[in-house]
């Protein structure tokens, strides 16, 4: 079984910062890309940022220059540093991992989500 557990969400004022963390655990052979998605009320889930095992990074346009994704391959963790937060960043943030199970199966794993609320 594979599990992703997020932490670090909360309530912050406009212009504030938060740092999200996600830890992968379980029967994992290897992890390819890890990333963060978000879903605001009434909207579809969207990619916020992703990072491959080699360190290639992709950001959604609206977060470029404000958010920074990083990962620790040894600890199977991914982070999202969010600065200069705006009310439009309010959403449930989900950790995602594209990984290979110990049995050799490719899996898309998701965390349970952590709520980020930015007040104006």
């Amino acid at each position: 079984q594979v599990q992703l557990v997020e932490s670090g969400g909360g309530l912050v004022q406009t212009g504030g910062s938060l740092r999200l963390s996600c830890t992968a655990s379980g029967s994992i052979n290897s992890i390819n890309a890890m990333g963060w998605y978000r879903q605001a009320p009434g909207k579809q889930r969207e990619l916020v940022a992703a990072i491959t095992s080699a360190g290639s990074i992709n950001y959604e346009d609206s977060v470029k220059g404000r958010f920074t994704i990083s990962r620790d391959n040894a600890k199977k963790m991914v982070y999202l540093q969010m600065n200069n937060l705006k009310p439009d960043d309010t959403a449930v943030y989900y950790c995602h991992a594209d990984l290979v199970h110990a049995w050799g199966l490719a899996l898309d794993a998701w965390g349970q989500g952590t709520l980020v609320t930015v007040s104006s």
Side-chain angles (χ1 to χ4, degrees):
Q1 186 167 351
V2 173
Q3 199 171 20
L4 300 182
V5 178
E6 303 113 331
S7 61
L11 173 64
V12 65
Q13 290 186 331
T14 296
S17 297
L18 285 173
R19 186 183 191 227
L20 305 183
S21 300
C22 171
T23 304
S25 63
S27 301
I28 299 171
N29 182 297
S30 61
I31 303 177
N32 300 318
M34 298 187 80
W36 294 93
Y37 287 72
R38 67 185 178 187
Q39 187 166 19
K43 295 187 177 182
Q44 289 189 333
R45 190 175 297 189
E46 63 175 1
L47 175 67
V48 177
I51 181 169
T52 69
S53 57
S56 295
I57 291 173
N58 181 43
Y59 292 106
E60 194 270 329
D61 285 346
S62 70
V63 308
K64 288 179 180 177
R66 301 188 298 123
F67 291 10
T68 302
I69 189 170
S70 60
R71 66 188 277 178
D72 185 327
N73 291 329
K75 294 181 179 179
K76 297 185 179 67
M77 293 189 70
V78 64
Y79 309 94
L80 186 68
Q81 177 65 43
M82 305 185 292
N83 297 329
N84 191 21
L85 282 160
K86 304 175 181 180
D88 283 350
D89 296 317
T90 295
V92 177
Y93 284 70
Y94 297 90
C95 178
H96 171 263
D98 172 16
L99 56 87
V100 178
H101 189 273
W103 296 344
L105 299 174
L107 287 179
D108 272 330
W110 292 91
Q112 80 285 357
T114 185
L115 178 62
V116 171
T117 304
V118 184
S119 64
S120 58

